[in-house]
């Protein structure tokens, strides 16, 4: 995997985690769970 691809996946995972945190703090736990699942799915591409 090229370095640029890895950076792109890290940014994707990070942005999903930040979005999930914001959603939890706003009370949208269902959407936060889905966003967390997307972050986990994107993190698989890092390994």
């Amino acid at each position: 995997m090229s370095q640029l691809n890895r950076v792109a996946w890290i940014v994707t995972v990070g942005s999903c985690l930040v979005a999930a945190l914001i959603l939890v703090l706003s009370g949208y736990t269902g959407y936060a769970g889905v966003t967390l699942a997307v972050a986990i799915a994107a993190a698989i591409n890092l390994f």
Side-chain angles (χ1 to χ4, degrees):
M1 178 183 294
S2 74
Q3 192 68 15
L4 186 59
N5 284 344
R6 189 166 182 80
V7 169
W9 281 116
I10 290 171
V11 168
T12 302
V13 170
S15 61
C16 285
L17 290 175
V18 168
L21 178 64
I22 291 170
L23 287 167
V24 164
L25 293 176
S26 298
Y28 295 104
T29 55
Y31 291 117
V34 171
T35 308
L36 186 62
V38 171
I40 292 168
I44 290 171
N45 291 309
L46 294 173
F47 301 107

